Amino acid sequence: MATSSDCLFCTIVAGDIPNDTVYETDTVLAFRDITPRANSHVLVIPKSHEDTLGQMADDDPTSVAELFTAAREVARREGIEETGYRVVSNVGADAGQEVFHVHVHVLGAQKLGPVGPGQR
């Protein structure tokens, strides 16, 4: 499994930084965001290091499917699968990606507004 010694999420996967795990498989880890933007805000990451979702799609498209399958399972466990949830991935610095390890945000448990230019 590829890791990066200077990557925050790789350090979490290694168990060196504690987290509030919601879901875990051999290839994916999902844990609560420490600065939540919604009542339910869970990060889903691959255990193997890839900088961006685009890179991951090029290197191993199957792992992208596993990431989104895990996001749905997180929504089910959080009790938001039926009421609705949002899955967001910021790809690259201009999109707001802060940690360059693939991750998706699963947001829900509240009414979420529309997403578009100039809206948050």
Side-chain angles (χ1 to χ4, degrees), residues 9 17 23 32 44 49-50 63 76 82 89-90 100 109:
F9 289 168
I17 296 176
Y23 177 69
R32 297 195 189 288
V44 182
H49 184 87
E50 295 281 356
S63 62
R76 187 187 69 72
E82 297 300 322
S89 181
N90 302 318
F100 282 82

Side-chain angles (χ1 to χ4, degrees), residues 1-4 7-19 21 24-31 44-49 101-102:
M1 182 175 322
T3 62
S4 175
C7 172
L8 172 65
F9 289 168
C10 287
T11 306
I12 291 171
V13 168
D16 297 334
I17 296 176
N19 69 86
T21 299
E24 184 172 10
T25 69
D26 290 341
T27 59
V28 175
L29 176 66
F31 54 92
V44 182
I45 68 171
K47 289 184 175 180
S48 179
H49 184 87
H101 180 121
V102 171

Side-chain angles (χ1 to χ4, degrees), residues 3-113:
T3 62
S4 175
S5 61
D6 61 343
C7 172
L8 172 65
F9 289 168
C10 287
T11 306
I12 291 171
V13 168
D16 297 334
I17 296 176
N19 69 86
D20 185 0
T21 299
V22 173
Y23 177 69
E24 184 172 10
T25 69
D26 290 341
T27 59
V28 175
L29 176 66
F31 54 92
R32 297 195 189 288
D33 194 302
I34 62 169
T35 55
R37 306 294 170 106
N39 291 336
S40 177
H41 186 167
V42 177
L43 298 174
V44 182
I45 68 171
K47 289 184 175 180
S48 179
H49 184 87
E50 295 281 356
D51 288 339
T52 67
L53 191 59
Q55 177 187 356
M56 186 179 189
D58 285 344
D59 292 347
D60 184 9
T62 302
S63 62
V64 175
E66 290 174 0
L67 195 67
F68 282 88
T69 298
R72 181 174 183 211
E73 178 60 21
V74 165
R76 187 187 69 72
R77 289 176 182 225
E78 291 289 289
I80 58 176
E81 182 180 26
E82 297 300 322
T83 58
Y85 60 98
R86 181 173 292 157
V87 178
V88 177
S89 181
N90 302 318
V91 181
D94 284 353
Q97 185 175 0
E98 296 175 357
V99 177
F100 282 82
H101 180 121
V102 171
H103 58 287
V104 298
H105 302 257
V106 179
L107 304 148
Q110 69 186 62
K111 180 87 169 159
L112 300 172

